Amino acid sequence: MREESREETLRKYLAKIEYVPTIPTIVNQVLTELENPEANLQEVVEILMADQVLTLRMIRLVNSAFWGLRHQVQSLKEAILYMGLREVRNVVLSTWLVNAFVSKVARFRIETFWEHSFGCGLVSQQLAKAMGFGQVDRAYLGGLLHDIGEVVLCQNFPEEFAQVVSLVEKEGFAYHEAEDEVLGINHTDFGQWLVQYWQLEEGLAEVATAHHELSRARREPDLVAIVHLADLLCRLKGLGYGSYERLQVCLTDDPAWRLLVAKRERLANLDVERFSFELDEQVEEVRVAVASIYNNQPHRPPLKVESTRY
C-alpha cells in the first residue's frame, strides 16, 4: 500500500473514533514536574496524593516483585524514595495506562495485552542495561507503549478487530498482518498517532511505528531495535496475546540484533540462552504485577508458544 494511501486510510478511521483517553491532569502535572532537573520529591508526592485511587494502585505495583524493591513500602513517599524520581514517570504512566482502556472484543483480553506490554518494558530495560544503552527508563517506556495502537483498535473498532482476532487464531496471521488484511492499516499507524496525540517524545512514537519494520526507524533505530527484540523474546516466553504462535526465531540472526551488535560490542558477549532462561522466572512476576493493578488473580493462558533456538 502506498504511504499516501495509508495516511488517508488512517484519517478515515480516526474520524470514526468516539473516544480516546487523554492523559489526566494529575499525571501531566507529575510528568511536567519531573522534566525539571531540580524536581522536588515532596511536590511530586503532593500532586499524586490528590488522586488516592492512582496512589493505591501505584503502591500495589511497586510492591510487586516486578518492580524489584527490596522490601514492601507503605506509602507513596517511601516508594519514591526507594525508586528514585527517574522511575516515577514509568510507574505513573504504567499505572494509569492499565486502567485507561477496555476491550470490546471478548477474545482479546486487555489484561493479557498489558502482560505483554509490561513484559516488553521489562525485557527492553534489561537489554538496554546489558548492552550499555544507558537510557533504560526510555527503553522501558518504549516496550510498554510499542503496541498501544492495539487497544485503540479493540476499543473503537470492535467488529473489525474481531475479524482480526479470527485471522490470527484460525489462519496463524501475526496481528499487524491481519490488521492490514482487514483494515488496510495496522496498530503501528494508530500507535504512532496516539503517542503523538499525547505529546510524548518522538522516539517513543517511532518505536510504535517501526518495531515490526526496522527500516522505518530514522530517529532512534537502536531504541526501536531493542524493543523489537524484547517483543520477540516475550512472545517466545508465552507473554503474547494468548493466541498460539509458531515462531521460527533465531535472535542472533535477526536484523535488529545485527544492528545493535555492530554499534555496541557488549551485546555480542551476552549469553542469550542464559538471558532467556532468566526471563522464565520473571514471566509470573509480570502477570502478578498487572493483576496487582486490577486487584485480581493473574491470568495464565492455557496455550504455549512453540519456538525454535535462540
Side-chain angles (χ1 to χ4, degrees):
M1 180 177 289
R2 295 179 299 107
E3 195 64 31
E4 294 81 8
S5 179
R6 292 191 78 89
E7 292 175 2
E8 291 165 5
T9 303
L10 178 61
R11 284 196 294 270
K12 179 186 75 173
Y13 280 106
L14 291 179
K16 297 178 182 179
I17 288 180
E18 295 182 356
Y19 169 77
V20 65
T22 55
I23 297 180
T25 301
I26 284 176
V27 174
N28 260 326
Q29 286 176 340
V30 171
L31 298 182
T32 300
E33 177 67 22
L34 293 174
E35 288 174 2
N36 179 0
E38 299 179 0
N40 183 277
L41 168 63
Q42 188 59 38
E43 182 68 23
V44 171
V45 171
E46 289 178 4
I47 293 170
L48 287 169
M49 287 298 290
D51 187 332
Q52 293 189 2
V53 173
L54 179 66
T55 297
L56 288 173
R57 286 172 175 163
M58 284 181 62
I59 292 173
R60 284 206 299 264
L61 177 58
V62 299
N63 275 331
S64 69
F66 175 81
W67 223 266
L69 295 189
R70 293 183 178 180
H71 74 278
Q72 299 281 291
V73 298
Q74 303 300 319
S75 70
L76 185 61
K77 186 172 183 178
E78 186 182 7
I80 294 174
L81 281 171
Y82 275 94
M83 288 186 299
L85 285 172
R86 287 184 61 184
E87 285 286 334
V88 173
R89 178 178 69 159
N90 292 351
V91 178
V92 170
L93 281 173
S94 299
T95 307
W96 169 67
L97 278 168
V98 168
N99 292 277
F101 293 90
V102 297
S103 173
K104 296 183 180 179
V105 178
R107 287 176 296 166
F108 188 83
R109 294 183 73 257
I110 199 74
E111 294 93 334
T112 304
F113 168 83
W114 286 117
E115 287 171 3
H116 173 70
S117 299
F118 269 51
C120 281
L122 173 70
V123 178
S124 296
Q125 189 177 55
Q126 292 180 342
L127 280 172
K129 288 178 181 177
M131 62 184 283
F133 181 66
Q135 302 173 59
V136 295
D137 53 334
R138 295 182 65 241
Y140 171 83
L141 283 180
L144 181 74
L145 292 167
H146 75 290
D147 272 349
I148 195 67
E150 297 281 18
V151 285
V152 177
L153 284 170
C154 72
Q155 180 165 302
N156 290 280
F157 306 105
E159 291 183 10
E160 294 90 337
F161 200 70
Q163 296 176 47
V164 168
V165 175
S166 291
L167 281 177
V168 171
E169 292 178 346
K170 295 176 182 178
E171 305 295 334
F173 279 59
Y175 267 89
H176 65 286
E177 294 169 342
E179 290 154 5
D180 277 327
E181 185 77 14
V182 173
L183 299 147
I185 52 177
N186 62 55
H187 65 272
T188 66
D189 301 287
F190 287 95
Q192 179 188 29
W193 167 78
L194 185 58
V195 173
Q196 291 172 335
Y197 173 77
W198 283 337
Q199 297 183 330
L200 300 176
E201 59 174 288
E202 278 299 317
L204 299 178
E206 186 169 79
V207 169
T209 304
H211 64 276
H212 288 304
E213 193 176 347
L214 194 57
S215 61
R216 298 180 68 185
R218 297 286 185 269
R219 180 185 295 264
E220 296 196 57
D222 288 12
L223 181 60
V224 175
I226 288 169
V227 174
H228 170 83
L229 293 174
D231 182 29
L232 287 179
L233 275 166
C234 285
R235 288 157 58 202
L236 284 167
K237 295 301 176 184
L239 279 177
Y241 295 154
S243 301
Y244 178 77
E245 292 188 87
R246 186 187 298 272
L247 297 176
Q248 303 295 318
V249 174
C250 177
L251 287 183
T252 54
D253 288 340
D254 192 276
W257 180 274
R258 293 199 299 268
L259 180 150
L260 292 171
V261 167
K263 295 181 178 181
R264 302 173 186 273
E265 294 181 1
R266 280 177 58 178
L267 189 61
N269 298 321
L270 178 68
D271 186 335
V272 180
E273 240 180 274
R274 180 176 177 180
F275 184 85
S276 177
F277 178 76
E278 289 172 350
L279 291 180
D280 288 332
E281 300 175 0
Q282 296 174 315
V283 168
E284 186 65 14
E285 293 175 5
V286 169
R287 292 187 175 127
V288 170
V290 173
S292 75
I293 298 179
Y294 284 105
N295 201 23
N296 57 19
Q297 294 299 311
H299 172 63
R300 295 174 181 80
L303 298 176
K304 294 184 179 181
V305 177
E306 180 179 314
S307 60
T308 58
R309 63 196 177 94
Y310 299 118

